[in-house]
Amino acid sequence: MKQAKLDNKEKLEIIENIIKSKTFNRAPSSCVLLKFLAEATLAGRDLKETTIGMELYGKSYEDEKSAAHIRVNVYHLRKKLDKYYQEEGADDAWKVQIKKGQYQVNYFKNQVGKTASSLAILGIGVAAFVLLLAVAFWLLSRKENIPLWQVYFDNGKETKLFIGDFFGIMGETATGAIGWNRDYNINNLEDYYRYLEDNPEKKGMINPANYPYVTGMAATGTMNISRLFHRKDNDFNILFSSQTSIKDITESNSIYIGPIKNGNPFIDFFNDANPHISINRGMLDFRDPDRSIDTLINLSVDDGQVYEHAVVSRYNGPNDTEQFVFFSDHDIGVKATTEKFTDTEWLNNQFKNLIKDSEHFTAIFLVKGKERTSMELELLLWDVLEEE
């Protein structure tokens, strides 16, 4: 530590500032001792225990026991100075020091404060660099063109995510209690009132449930799509299919995730948009003479515990809107396909090779997943739809 040059007035001002600090305001003996040693040092006095004892305390400290009292007081003074420079005086430009075994007061440039300032500046620089990287990444992500999804961020229309739910009826359960029931022939209020017209004896015995039923595919599918939209600083509204009107669908870009056995309105839109494929009563009919395809696929196979079929399709909706649907009657189909179709690397490197430059297509997958985990996708058939 290199000693710096200060005039006597400046040195005494430094001592006064230390004495007035919070660290020293409850240590009057240390204040008196520091001021005495500082003034004696400036005067060039020969500082010894005897000199300090006589001039400061008015006592003679000639024996070892008495001299120890002076050394203890100076020891406490050094500790006070150390504490001061660790807290209040950490950024002081100058540092006062009384070296061990000596009583002279020395003044040095406070290298610790200087280093701390340098580290602070370095920290600010690093933080600024990280912020610049984050902004750059954000700008790049906004400019990133995501196959099949980009139009949802660019065409100026809001997006709605429709979750395929099941309409419920409150009535007598199998055990005789009153609870939530499900009938696959009643999928909305219109179906419910039509049923009552055909079966008037049921009036008063059943009522529409005040809440729908969804499976795990709703949460997983929504999470997968949300990640993609948030990456583009975008968002969407969420509706349940059983509470959806045709107007809700035709005024915005739409995404549907869920089953077909709930009779959702997207089945009709899907059939209209696909010249070679149709879905009816749980069966998918794929007929394309030019490719020698004529097949029926059961979309409501078993219980979906081990495998099931899933359909993914993107096509033009009404009023210059876009529709993206993920059909599967059990959880694993929607879970697997929404995860895959929000993976931009997979879209760019694999799936795009099949559909080329088209944005509209229909794909049928076989999804395998024991106990609805460790899911695998196998692409069975696909059809590229002509651009309108």
Side-chain angles (χ1 to χ4, degrees), residues 112-361:
V112 175
K114 197 173 181 181
T115 303
S117 299
S118 299
L119 288 174
I121 294 171
L122 178 61
I124 293 170
V126 171
F129 179 69
V130 171
L131 180 61
L132 284 173
L133 285 179
V135 171
F137 177 79
W138 180 75
L139 290 173
L140 286 173
S141 67
R142 286 179 62 85
K143 292 180 179 180
E144 178 188 18
N145 190 296
I146 301 179
L148 306 181
W149 294 97
Q150 193 62 38
V151 67
Y152 279 80
F153 313 123
D154 292 345
N155 72 354
K157 296 181 180 293
E158 71 169 335
T159 297
K160 294 176 182 175
L161 174 65
F162 296 86
I163 295 175
D165 62 328
F166 295 105
F167 185 83
I169 298 171
M170 298 300 292
E172 186 176 348
T173 65
T175 61
I178 300 299
W180 198 93
N181 292 270
R182 166 67 179 147
D183 189 311
Y184 288 113
N185 293 313
I186 303 175
N187 295 298
N188 49 51
L189 280 173
E190 185 179 344
D191 291 346
Y192 169 78
Y193 288 117
R194 186 183 299 116
Y195 173 79
L196 286 185
E197 288 179 5
D198 296 337
N199 302 271
E201 73 279 4
K202 294 292 185 179
K203 289 183 179 180
M205 299 176 63
I206 60 174
N207 292 289
N210 59 3
Y211 59 91
Y213 170 78
V214 296
T215 64
M217 70 171 77
T220 305
T222 302
M223 178 187 69
N224 290 333
I225 295 170
S226 293
R227 286 174 175 168
L228 184 72
F229 270 66
H230 291 166
R231 180 173 173 176
K232 298 290 288 186
D233 194 28
N234 217 301
D235 209 343
F236 50 77
N237 295 316
I238 298 177
L239 292 84
F240 290 110
S241 63
S242 67
Q243 302 168 0
T244 296
S245 67
I246 297 300
K247 185 179 179 181
D248 291 329
I249 298 173
T250 58
E251 291 182 341
S252 61
N253 296 324
S254 304
I255 305 168
Y256 174 84
I257 54 174
I260 59 168
K261 60 186 177 184
N262 61 356
N264 69 83
F266 284 92
I267 297 173
D268 290 334
F269 286 106
F270 171 88
N271 288 340
D272 289 341
N274 283 269
H276 301 131
I277 307 172
S278 64
I279 295 174
N280 187 34
R281 297 183 181 276
M283 301 296 294
L284 182 141
D285 187 351
F286 193 155
R287 298 183 183 183
D288 185 357
D290 294 337
R291 295 166 60 191
S292 300
I293 297 175
D294 187 354
T295 186
L296 285 173
I297 296 176
N298 183 5
L299 299 178
S300 299
V301 60
D302 297 327
D303 60 2
Q305 291 288 340
V306 178
Y307 75 94
E308 72 164 326
H309 294 102
V311 180
V312 180
S313 184
R314 213 192 31 96
Y315 49 85
N316 286 315
N319 302 322
D320 296 321
T321 62
E322 296 291 333
Q323 292 189 3
F324 213 148
V325 297
F326 297 83
F327 291 143
S328 73
D329 275 342
H330 305 289
D331 286 355
I332 61 174
V334 166
K335 286 181 177 180
T337 53
T338 55
E339 180 178 340
K340 197 60 104 174
F341 276 85
T342 54
D343 181 346
T344 56
E345 183 177 351
W346 180 80
L347 288 175
N348 276 306
N349 298 332
Q350 296 185 43
F351 194 71
K352 197 172 182 180
N353 292 331
L354 298 175
I355 62 174
K356 304 304 180 185
D357 294 325
S358 175
E359 288 288 303
H360 300 121
F361 69 95

Side-chain angles (χ1 to χ4, degrees), residues 5-37:
K5 291 183 179 181
L6 285 170
D7 61 36
N8 289 351
K9 182 180 178 182
E10 290 172 328
K11 290 178 179 179
L12 291 176
E13 286 177 352
I14 291 171
I15 297 299
E16 286 298 322
N17 288 334
I18 294 173
I19 291 172
K20 292 176 181 178
S21 69
K22 291 181 180 179
T23 305
F24 277 79
N25 66 357
R26 292 188 179 180
S29 60
S30 291
C31 292
V32 172
L33 179 58
L34 176 61
K35 189 173 184 179
F36 172 82
L37 295 178

